[in-house]
Amino acid sequence: MENTYLGLVLAPLAGAIIAGLFGKQVGRAGAHWVTILGVGISFILSVLVFKHHVFDGGATYNETVYTWMVSDGITFQIGFLVDQLTALMICVVTFVSLMVHIYTIGYMHDDPGYQRFFSYIALFTFSMLMLVMSNNFMQLFFGWEAVGLVSYLLIGFWFKKDTAIYANLKAFLVNRVGDFGFLLGIAAVLMYFGSLNYADVFALAPSLKDSTVEVFPGTEWSLMTMVCILLFIGAMGKSAQVPLHVWLPDSMEGPTPISALIHAATMVTAGVFMVARMSPLYEYSETALGFVMVIGAITAFFMGLVGIVQNDIKRVVAYSTLSQLGYMMVAAGASAYAAAIFHLMTHAFFKALLFLAAGSVIIAMHHKQDIREMGGLKKYMPITYWTSLFGSLALIGFPGTSGFFSKDAIIEAVHASSVPGADIAYWAVLLGVFITALYSFRMFFLVFHGKERMDHHTKEHLHETPWVVTGPLMLLAIPSLIIGYLTVESVLFGDYFKDAIFVLPEHNVLAKIGENYTSEIGFVLHGMMAPPFWLAMGGLFTAWFIYMKKPEIADNIKNNMQWIYKLLDKKYFADEFNEAFFAGGSRGIGRLLWRNGDIRIIDGLMVNGSANSIGWLSSVVRHVQTGYLYHYAFVMIVGLMLLLGWHLF
């Protein structure tokens, strides 16, 4: 199988290299065909890998492909760990990426950077595959940084736009903060475990679970807690958790296909995957699990609230992603790693669908993105309408859709958890269901229903988008509706992850929930009597009533509660705080160092000071140069006497 794994990873890389370096030679059509072929090969091989490991019962593959360097007994390797978790991830990544590649043909049709864009998204796919298939921390870090680099290039793809350049710089800097913690975590693993190989580290975890480290003199910390929190700081940046979430909404400045790719199946889910992969470490630190859960709960609830006041169609979906990532982290904190990965999978399909549907609307609206200037698009764009409806229903967890199974499982898992912070997290994710339904169907109703608010020119040219756009929407709508129903029993309550994820018996909340599981239909019927269903329906009805029947209510709320609206509209002033404190503070420190270090010490004292000193000394010494011979003879005699005195005494 090694050749299969290599082909799976290298096919998108080959496409990226050809489209990127030989774009002029292969042309626009050649660029999209070679990258689609590369990702298509990866998807087919992913399906074969999934069949081998899941249906045929193939053993876990954990082998080194290439040894890069050996230094002081530490081995730096490139290798693959392929098990059920990896098989699921590569299928999701390659399928969504393939849909995005096809969709891009229509969306980027007239863009001058066509070949460059296809090269970047194929490289993005390669980077994510390297990340999820790695069997060691070095390769994990390579994939981690590679997706960060390519996301930087893609967010700022339209480099002539100042907002795009600001957004990609913001993403780069915020992720560097998280990656600093991530790198410290990997360094701690190497220092205390003596290896970067997953298998070695996980095998040593039980023997080191009670170990402590003295980070500061006189203060002992749990080794596991320190390592897990440092690794999670990296996940906070990559998966956009509060307070390192600020880059993700601004990433909308990139073209819509990359928004779908970043938000759905790649970069932002890397942190969730990493926590699940590191379950043998996290299970030995309830403090770290509680930290993960609380951060996830804060992100899920408060980022959902911000989505209610957004008017840019892509930003509404972006804040939805932030909130759903919070749900995944809450599940991981509750030790329900299978539920986190299950929601990662279902979310990948319906979130990619929603982003690509938003892009379809943007194309039809001549690149207008304000939902207040839309309305009544249902009759002009029937395919986009129905696929958006399916994606929105999956997002709010409507019974039977994929999101219903994964979201309800998370809420039940948190309710059953005894990890510190579980009570707060439960109410956050439960109330988040109402908020999700409210902002999702606010957008849906304002875009597709009600009166038409676009200008006359836009209205005259409204029509459904071409098949390269609508085709991926229909293909993504299918798993958005049925994938949860087909996989809930095996992934959540079966032994699907038995060799890939480690959970201590006292933390196994999914096993506790699974005791009452009867069937998929039983799950649906039980869910329709539970609070999340009624909250979701309440949010949907509220959105319909306020924005379709009584739109003046929204204006009254906005006018009467200006301070709340402003707080949400300004995203809790996080950007302003970062700009004033971190960016402003950095500039202030820079000015201080410039004035005192550069001007006063370097220029003033060292450069100009030495020049002035020499000038002063020269002005004193020149008085000795009188031009009279007897003065020089006198000085020579005095000097000779001084030398003689020095020699004698």
Side-chain angles (χ1 to χ4, degrees), residues 163 216 344 571 621:
T163 51
F216 301 106
L344 184 159
K571 298 158 282 188
V621 172

Side-chain angles (χ1 to χ4, degrees), residues 585-649:
S586 298
R587 288 193 295 268
I589 293 171
R591 283 192 294 269
L592 182 68
L593 293 173
W594 169 62
R595 287 176 184 151
N596 294 304
D598 214 28
I599 294 178
R600 293 182 182 176
I601 297 176
I602 297 174
D603 289 345
L605 182 61
M606 297 174 66
V607 178
N608 296 330
S610 59
N612 293 335
S613 299
I614 291 171
W616 174 82
L617 183 61
S618 299
S619 67
V620 173
V621 172
R622 70 181 180 182
H623 293 295
V624 179
Q625 303 294 328
T626 61
Y628 294 109
L629 185 61
Y630 57 85
H631 284 173
Y632 298 153
F634 176 73
V635 171
M636 289 172 66
I637 293 169
V638 170
L640 188 60
M641 293 177 65
L642 288 172
L643 285 172
L644 184 62
W646 175 263
H647 180 69
L648 291 174
F649 297 103

Side-chain angles (χ1 to χ4, degrees), residues 540-616:
L540 191 157
F541 175 78
T542 303
W544 171 79
F545 186 76
I546 292 178
Y547 296 101
M548 290 291 99
K549 299 298 290 182
K550 299 285 185 181
E552 63 273 12
I553 294 177
D555 295 329
N556 292 335
I557 293 173
K558 179 180 174 181
N559 294 331
N560 295 329
M561 306 184 75
Q562 269 291 325
W563 66 276
I564 293 180
Y565 177 82
K566 188 174 182 181
L567 182 68
L568 296 178
D569 187 49
K570 290 291 185 179
K571 298 158 282 188
Y572 310 109
F573 296 93
D575 287 333
E576 287 77 4
F577 174 78
N578 290 335
E579 177 65 30
F581 186 78
F582 293 109
S586 298
R587 288 193 295 268
I589 293 171
R591 283 192 294 269
L592 182 68
L593 293 173
W594 169 62
R595 287 176 184 151
N596 294 304
D598 214 28
I599 294 178
R600 293 182 182 176
I601 297 176
I602 297 174
D603 289 345
L605 182 61
M606 297 174 66
V607 178
N608 296 330
S610 59
N612 293 335
S613 299
I614 291 171
W616 174 82

Side-chain angles (χ1 to χ4, degrees), residues 36-349:
I36 289 173
L37 179 63
V39 177
I41 290 170
S42 280
F43 173 62
I44 293 169
L45 294 177
S46 298
V47 173
L48 293 176
V49 169
F50 187 86
K51 176 182 177 295
H52 173 71
H53 285 279
V54 178
F55 294 113
D56 297 342
T60 296
Y61 179 91
N62 184 14
E63 298 292 340
T64 298
V65 175
Y66 173 70
T67 300
W68 177 45
M69 183 173 66
V70 179
S71 177
D72 291 333
I74 305 300
T75 305
F76 298 88
Q77 300 170 330
I78 296 171
F80 297 138
L81 170 59
V82 185
D83 52 17
Q84 292 91 333
L85 174 59
T86 311
L88 186 149
M89 287 296 298
I90 59 177
C91 284
V92 171
V93 169
T94 53
F95 177 72
V96 173
S97 180
L98 181 60
M99 295 300 101
V100 170
H101 275 69
I102 296 170
Y103 177 93
T104 300
I105 298 173
Y107 193 89
M108 302 293 287
H109 183 265
D110 299 319
D111 198 282
Y114 192 81
Q115 293 97 315
R116 178 165 57 94
F117 190 83
F118 272 98
S119 175
Y120 286 170
I121 58 176
L123 187 60
F124 206 125
T125 307
F126 159 75
S127 303
M128 190 65 188
L129 289 172
M130 285 292 283
L131 189 158
V132 300
M133 294 179 69
S134 62
N135 71 345
N136 62 86
F137 284 92
M138 189 208 76
Q139 187 175 325
L140 173 70
F141 189 70
F142 164 78
W144 196 268
E145 293 304 304
V147 292
L149 170 63
V150 185
S151 69
Y152 168 82
L153 296 172
L154 283 163
I155 293 168
F157 181 79
W158 288 321
F159 53 83
K160 293 184 179 180
K161 286 175 60 179
D162 290 339
T163 51
I165 296 303
Y166 177 80
N168 76 344
L169 180 62
K170 187 176 182 180
F172 186 82
L173 291 175
V174 172
N175 273 279
R176 294 294 70 71
V177 175
D179 291 352
F180 179 67
F182 191 60
L183 193 57
L184 287 177
I186 294 174
V189 167
L190 179 59
M191 181 175 179
Y192 292 100
F193 291 82
S195 175
L196 290 173
N197 189 281
Y198 292 164
D200 297 338
V201 173
F202 296 163
L204 284 171
S207 61
L208 294 174
K209 62 182 176 142
D210 298 321
S211 299
T212 58
V213 293
E214 196 172 280
V215 181
F216 301 106
T219 305
E220 288 193 343
W221 292 11
S222 164
L223 172 62
M224 286 299 179
T225 299
M226 182 188 75
V227 168
C228 291
I229 289 179
L230 286 173
L231 292 174
F232 181 67
I233 290 172
M236 287 169 66
K238 199 66 70 184
S239 293
Q241 299 294 290
V242 173
L244 301 181
H245 67 286
V246 292
W247 68 271
L248 193 58
D250 286 4
S251 70
M252 297 301 97
E253 291 297 331
T256 299
I258 190 52
S259 300
L261 200 55
I262 288 177
H263 285 242
T266 54
M267 183 172 170
V268 295
T269 58
V272 180
F273 165 79
M274 186 275 295
V275 174
R277 178 59 82 193
M278 299 301 146
S279 59
L281 302 181
Y282 279 89
E283 280 300 287
Y284 292 113
S285 174
E286 284 205 351
T287 303
L289 289 173
F291 183 73
V292 172
M293 183 185 288
V294 170
I295 293 293
I298 292 170
T299 305
F301 182 75
F302 288 101
M303 293 304 105
L305 287 174
V306 177
I308 298 172
V309 301
Q310 298 300 307
N311 295 311
D312 184 307
I313 187 170
K314 285 172 65 177
R315 283 184 178 267
V316 176
V317 188
Y319 277 100
S320 165
T321 300
L322 280 169
S323 182
Q324 297 308 304
L325 287 167
Y327 274 87
M328 297 175 209
M329 288 302 185
V330 167
S335 291
Y337 307 100
I341 297 298
F342 189 45
H343 195 52
L344 184 159
M345 175 186 68
T346 60
H347 174 265
F349 297 121

Side-chain angles (χ1 to χ4, degrees), residues 309-593:
V309 301
Q310 298 300 307
N311 295 311
D312 184 307
I313 187 170
K314 285 172 65 177
R315 283 184 178 267
V316 176
V317 188
Y319 277 100
S320 165
T321 300
L322 280 169
S323 182
Q324 297 308 304
L325 287 167
Y327 274 87
M328 297 175 209
M329 288 302 185
V330 167
S335 291
Y337 307 100
I341 297 298
F342 189 45
H343 195 52
L344 184 159
M345 175 186 68
T346 60
H347 174 265
F349 297 121
F350 62 71
K351 188 50 60 68
L353 171 59
L354 287 171
F355 263 114
L356 298 186
S360 179
V361 170
I362 292 168
I363 294 171
M365 291 291 298
H366 298 284
H367 292 274
K368 292 180 180 177
Q369 298 182 195
D370 194 328
I371 59 177
R372 295 170 296 185
E373 298 177 11
M374 300 178 188
L377 293 184
K378 177 184 177 182
K379 67 179 180 181
Y380 300 102
M381 309 179 70
I383 298 175
T384 302
Y385 170 80
W386 285 107
T387 52
S388 296
L389 176 60
F390 296 150
S392 298
L393 290 173
L395 173 59
I396 71 169
F398 188 81
T401 62
S402 60
F404 166 79
F405 293 100
S406 56
K407 186 177 286 187
D408 269 34
I410 290 173
I411 295 170
E412 289 297 323
V414 177
H415 197 203
S417 175
S418 59
V419 170
D423 292 340
I424 297 171
Y426 173 71
W427 286 106
V429 294
L430 185 62
L431 295 175
V433 174
F434 176 86
I435 296 166
T436 302
L438 179 58
Y439 67 66
S440 298
F441 276 87
R442 169 183 176 263
M443 178 183 72
F444 182 79
F445 289 135
L446 288 177
V447 171
F448 294 105
H449 290 276
K451 64 180 181 180
E452 298 165 0
R453 298 179 296 277
M454 68 287 294
D455 59 65
H456 182 69
H457 173 74
T458 304
K459 184 177 178 180
E460 278 188 331
H461 294 85
L462 274 174
H463 59 82
E464 186 60 272
T465 44
W467 72 267
V468 289
V469 174
T470 55
L473 296 183
M474 291 185 283
L475 290 173
L476 284 165
I478 296 169
S480 296
L481 290 175
I482 66 171
I483 196 70
Y485 184 88
L486 296 176
T487 58
V488 60
E489 184 171 354
S490 60
V491 173
L492 278 185
F493 306 117
D495 58 357
Y496 182 86
F497 290 120
K498 65 181 170 105
D499 298 322
I501 289 174
F502 171 74
V503 182
L504 290 172
E506 59 268 28
H507 290 166
N508 200 345
V509 290
L510 288 178
K512 191 184 302 183
I513 299 169
E515 292 172 359
N516 300 316
Y517 178 81
T518 55
S519 65
E520 293 85 355
I521 299 298
F523 194 114
V524 172
L525 293 175
H526 177 268
M528 291 178 69
M529 295 182 288
F533 169 72
W534 297 108
L535 285 169
M537 294 304 98
L540 191 157
F541 175 78
T542 303
W544 171 79
F545 186 76
I546 292 178
Y547 296 101
M548 290 291 99
K549 299 298 290 182
K550 299 285 185 181
E552 63 273 12
I553 294 177
D555 295 329
N556 292 335
I557 293 173
K558 179 180 174 181
N559 294 331
N560 295 329
M561 306 184 75
Q562 269 291 325
W563 66 276
I564 293 180
Y565 177 82
K566 188 174 182 181
L567 182 68
L568 296 178
D569 187 49
K570 290 291 185 179
K571 298 158 282 188
Y572 310 109
F573 296 93
D575 287 333
E576 287 77 4
F577 174 78
N578 290 335
E579 177 65 30
F581 186 78
F582 293 109
S586 298
R587 288 193 295 268
I589 293 171
R591 283 192 294 269
L592 182 68
L593 293 173

